[in-house]
Amino acid sequence: GDSVTQMEGPVTLSEEAFLTINCTYTATGYPSLFWYVQYPGEGPQLLLKATKADDKGSNKGFEATYRKETTSFHLEKGSVQVSDSAVYFCALSGAVDSSYKLIFGSGTRLLVRP
Amino acid sequence: GAGVSQSPSNKVTEKGKDVELRCDPISGHTALYWYRQSLGQGLEFLIYFQGNSAPDKSGLPSDRFSAERTGGSVSTLTIQRTQQEDSAVYLCASSFTENTEAFFGQGTRLTVV
């Protein structure tokens, strides 16, 4: 079945460091890919998305490129801030097996130190 | 309302009792999802409603779990004969249609004692 695999956390970085969180997926169709961010005590919220191969999603300095050949959607940010500390979820939707339900990875906790 | 609303925000129940969790999606959203999030864990898919189509129930962990969506709007997740392992945060989300951004509620924290 469809699935999403993320790098395990926690990821601890100093402020202004470069961030990469790896995400790969398994799907039988052509899914849309998403990154959601969850702050403590809140529900996840959409950070960025890409709907087809080679699309780049971007928001708030975060970027991710849909790579069909490597089935990946890695999240990057050039200079993280303390306020970026949160849990990040990679997700897919729209592949054949998953219908249109959102399938989430296990999440990666990011901690940014001043 | 402006966002997805879930009630109650917290629920403590005794093992073996039934509970009902409510979700009010954003007005006009045709897709509605329920997820379960255990402490420090990821989002476990439970059930998905899309318009008038039959729901995708493939994530419900046992027959003690059921959900309905009345009039294409409000949804209720029911857990019968609750067990301690049912303790988690139950999150509801809605989206305008399939494959578009999902907006999540704050969740219901269920504790079974």
Side-chain angles (χ1 to χ4, degrees):
Chain A
D2 299 344
S3 65
V4 176
T5 302
Q6 289 181 237
M7 62 186 290
E8 290 196 13
V11 173
T12 303
L13 296 173
S14 296
E15 203 165 25
E16 299 183 2
F18 184 85
L19 168 71
T20 299
I21 300 178
N22 290 337
C23 170
T24 58
Y25 67 91
T26 300
T28 53
Y30 301 95
S32 294
L33 301 174
F34 306 83
W35 278 99
Y36 280 78
V37 58
Q38 185 176 31
Y39 299 100
E42 299 181 8
Q45 55 187 275
L46 181 68
L47 179 60
L48 55 84
K49 73 174 188 180
T51 58
K52 61 183 187 297
D54 300 324
D55 270 1
K56 177 186 283 188
S58 61
N59 186 25
K60 300 180 182 178
F62 290 89
E63 293 183 342
T65 301
Y66 190 141
R67 301 287 188 200
K68 193 171 189 300
E69 64 275 14
T70 54
T71 62
S72 65
F73 193 55
H74 306 319
L75 182 67
E76 296 182 336
K77 186 175 185 182
S79 176
V80 294
Q81 305 300 312
V82 172
S83 57
D84 294 327
S85 298
V87 179
Y88 292 81
F89 292 95
C90 186
L92 68 79
S93 170
V96 171
D97 278 1
S98 64
S99 64
Y100 285 101
K101 63 179 181 274
L102 275 174
I103 300 293
F104 285 86
S106 56
T108 302
R109 181 175 301 277
L110 171 65
L111 177 60
V112 180
R113 300 191 183 280
Chain B
V4 177
S5 178
Q6 293 187 245
S7 59
S9 55
N10 281 284
K11 175 72 175 178
V12 180
T13 190
E14 293 181 351
K15 178 181 173 181
K17 295 285 179 68
D18 297 352
V19 294
E20 285 189 352
L21 312 180
R22 178 185 168 104
C23 173
D24 280 276
I26 295 172
S27 178
H29 280 194
T30 63
L32 187 146
Y33 314 78
W34 283 99
Y35 292 87
R36 179 168 69 176
Q37 187 171 33
S38 300
L39 186 62
Q41 301 300 308
L43 293 155
E44 177 188 5
F45 167 77
L46 297 177
I47 189 168
Y48 165 61
F49 296 89
Q50 171 54 48
N52 296 320
S53 302
D56 181 345
K57 305 180 182 179
S58 60
L60 294 178
S62 77
D63 58 9
R64 296 187 296 105
F65 289 72
S66 63
E68 62 177 22
R69 188 178 185 192
T70 55
S73 182
V74 171
S75 178
T76 302
L77 177 69
T78 301
I79 309 174
Q80 295 179 311
R81 304 182 301 282
T82 52
Q83 304 295 313
Q84 287 187 328
E85 61 263 29
D86 299 334
S87 296
V89 175
Y90 289 81
L91 288 161
C92 176
S94 71
S95 62
F96 181 68
T97 185
E98 66 266 12
N99 222 22
T100 57
E101 177 181 359
F103 294 84
F104 281 81
Q106 299 278 69
T108 293
R109 181 175 298 278
L110 176 66
T111 304
V112 182
V113 297

